[in-house]
């Protein structure tokens, strides 16, 4: 068997890390393009995001298989094992980010065919800028194995949750004002939620970077963002002026 | 080192498979309870689902670590390697099912504090029955390594998507009828989407069971369910009677 092992562990790891970095770049592009497609009702761009997701899934499978083969062949220990396990986890998060971008892209037609409230799409663009900044930063932290930067990314997720919450409220208000907005706003709501979850995945990646570098789990500092919508919106329980709840 | 290996590969695999089965049972329970909490506005039950998710996450981490250690230690090949890789993938899907149940549970207060349309909650219960049936069946297919049953689960996802689409429409109509329904319906919409995605994870697990048994990827038969909402709802683009889109 030994003749078949033509690369060193270092080479295998480098290959995997390079693929992760490419995957990260592709996931970023998909997020940017899905939101741009939503902004400009660009169905062609939306379709290319959907097509790109197939490639991203394939790269994730490849990284998975490579990583597993490397573990079986090299039996890495300590930081080397964490590198490989970390690669599996990060590629999984990047694949899910791609799925979320794809889901947003698929909503472009539904949002477009309804006259959409442009200022809300802009709110979503702002949300997406924040999530993309987090994604770029965490990929950077991964590239440099910078656990301090990883911690900063984790702490930055709070801002995304706050903007998501404000968009959620705005969308609900908009729907209440005019029922004709409901269908488009519903798709925008799901798109906003997709972006908020992209922020959560950036946080997951930050935690993985921290784990690779230190061998320890990041200490819990705050609950995950997806508690925000229900809890932060309990003050919307008051029915709008005009009467009690049905 | 050899003295430390007190268990056989078979024993390690059995341990992992048993943990997956326990995880599956717990994920099922969480889905059932989250929907029951939604049905009966049971905030206590919802809180216990949220608490259970922490345990599920911990078991997933444990399975991950065990699986990786087993690969490094035993260097399994062919079906043995597929068993371990399959275990990692299935525990990942089960963990995500738990997250979705938790997200639904967190919406209980928001739905409860608005007077919710009971018939819609019942529609969601029906959706959840379908998803739970899929989950039970795929866990069964995993236990017996039955690739035919796995194929049946994959094909059954279509029914879930159809019910989800109908609930989506119903919720939108309900929101359009009376703006006071909008907040609660929005949370029900996210809850329905969570359940539809639980169906997708059951499909993922079915694909993994098929892969473990046959060593091949299941042939693509139909596109994934999450294309349904946007595409199936383009006929909602017509504004309701009363005027053109804003």
């Amino acid at each position: 068997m030994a003749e078949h092992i033509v690369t060193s562990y270092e080479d295998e790891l480098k290959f995997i890390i390079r693929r992760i970095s490419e995957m990260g770049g592709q996931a970023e592009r998909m997020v940017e393009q899905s939101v741009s497609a939503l902004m400009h009702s660009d169905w062609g761009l939306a379709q290319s995001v959907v097509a790109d997701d197939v490639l991203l899934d394939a790269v994730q499978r490849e990284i998975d298989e490579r990583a597993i083969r490397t573990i079986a062949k090299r039996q890495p220990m300590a930081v080397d094992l964490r590198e490989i396990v970390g690669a599996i986890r990060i590629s999984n998060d990047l694949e899910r980010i791609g799925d979320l971008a794809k889901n947003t892209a698929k909503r472009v037609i539904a949002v477009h065919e309804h006259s959409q409230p442009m200022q809300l799409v802009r709110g979503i663009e702002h949300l997406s800028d924040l999530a993309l900044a987090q994604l770029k930063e965490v990929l950077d932290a991964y590239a440099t194995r910078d656990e301090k930067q990883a911690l900063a990314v984790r702490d930055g997720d709070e801002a995304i949750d706050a903007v998501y919450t404000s968009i959620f409220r705005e969308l609900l208000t908009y729907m209440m004002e005019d029922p004709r907005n409901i269908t488009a706003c519903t798709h925008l709501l799901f798109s906003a939620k997709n972006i908020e979850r992209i922020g959560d995945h950036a946080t997951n990646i930050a935690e993985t970077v921290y784990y690779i570098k230190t061998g320890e789990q990041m200490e819990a500092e705050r609950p995950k963002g997806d508690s925000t919508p229900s809890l932060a919106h309990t003050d919307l329980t008051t029915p709008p002026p005009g009467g009690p709840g049905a």
Side-chain angles (χ1 to χ4, degrees), chain A:
Chain A
M1 287 297 286
E3 310 82 41
H4 295 149
I5 304 170
V6 290
T7 58
S8 69
Y9 169 76
E10 279 301 311
D11 287 340
E12 280 171 25
L13 185 60
K14 264 188 206 149
F15 179 88
I16 290 171
I17 289 171
R18 196 169 60 240
R19 296 297 269 158
I20 296 254
S21 142
E22 288 165 10
M23 225 188 143
Q26 197 188 331
E28 270 182 47
R29 234 178 357 262
M30 286 173 68
V31 175
E32 264 166 16
Q33 290 178 344
S34 65
V35 177
S36 171
L38 199 65
M39 276 294 285
H40 306 104
S41 300
D42 187 339
W43 182 233
L45 188 59
Q47 281 175 305
S48 93
V49 171
V50 173
D52 283 348
D53 189 53
V54 178
L55 303 175
L56 200 68
D57 288 355
V59 179
Q60 195 232 336
R61 283 276 152 145
E62 189 203 342
I63 290 173
D64 248 32
E65 277 161 26
R66 283 261 184 177
I68 298 283
R69 255 188 289 145
T70 303
I71 292 170
K73 206 159 65 177
R74 309 289 183 184
Q75 303 166 59
M77 306 281 280
V79 66
D80 291 336
L81 180 57
R82 292 203 305 273
E83 281 283 357
I84 303 282
V85 172
I88 294 174
R89 288 190 187 148
I90 291 173
S91 79
N92 186 38
D93 279 304
L94 291 173
E95 187 266 327
R96 285 162 77 176
I97 288 172
D99 280 348
L100 293 164
K102 179 181 73 172
N103 186 274
T104 299
K106 283 183 173 174
R107 297 180 188 277
V108 166
I109 275 197
V111 172
H112 171 55
E113 293 188 358
H114 301 68
S115 0
Q116 76 271 46
M118 214 47 197
Q119 89 224 42
L120 283 169
V121 177
R122 291 221 180 83
I124 289 174
E125 203 188 35
H126 174 52
L127 184 67
S128 139
D129 287 345
L130 290 179
L132 273 169
Q134 289 279 93
L135 184 54
K136 278 183 219 294
E137 202 173 326
V138 82
L139 290 170
D140 206 47
Y142 177 59
T144 55
R145 302 294 182 280
D146 183 340
E147 82 276 16
K148 286 205 186 71
Q149 198 176 8
L151 275 166
V153 169
R154 194 267 306 266
D155 295 343
D157 194 46
E158 211 158 342
I160 295 182
D161 292 343
V163 173
Y164 168 69
T165 298
S166 122
I167 289 174
F168 183 99
R169 283 166 198 250
E170 209 177 330
L171 280 164
L172 254 56
T173 308
Y174 208 84
M175 290 193 249
M176 285 170 188
E177 274 169 19
D178 187 342
R180 287 167 300 183
N181 296 324
I182 286 175
T183 306
C185 285
T186 296
H187 287 290
L188 290 177
L189 206 54
F190 276 114
S191 300
K193 183 70 186 162
N194 288 340
I195 299 166
E196 184 267 334
R197 287 175 57 216
I198 287 167
D200 288 342
H201 288 295
T203 301
N204 290 350
I205 295 173
E207 287 171 355
T208 302
V209 170
Y210 190 89
Y211 163 77
I212 292 172
K213 184 67 182 291
T214 66
E216 304 193 353
Q217 303 301 326
M218 219 181 242
E219 256 173 71
E221 205 217 33
R222 50 179 291 270
K224 270 297 168 75
D226 75 353
S227 68
T228 317
S230 54
L231 302 180
H233 291 96
T234 44
D235 61 344
L236 278 167
T237 54
T238 317

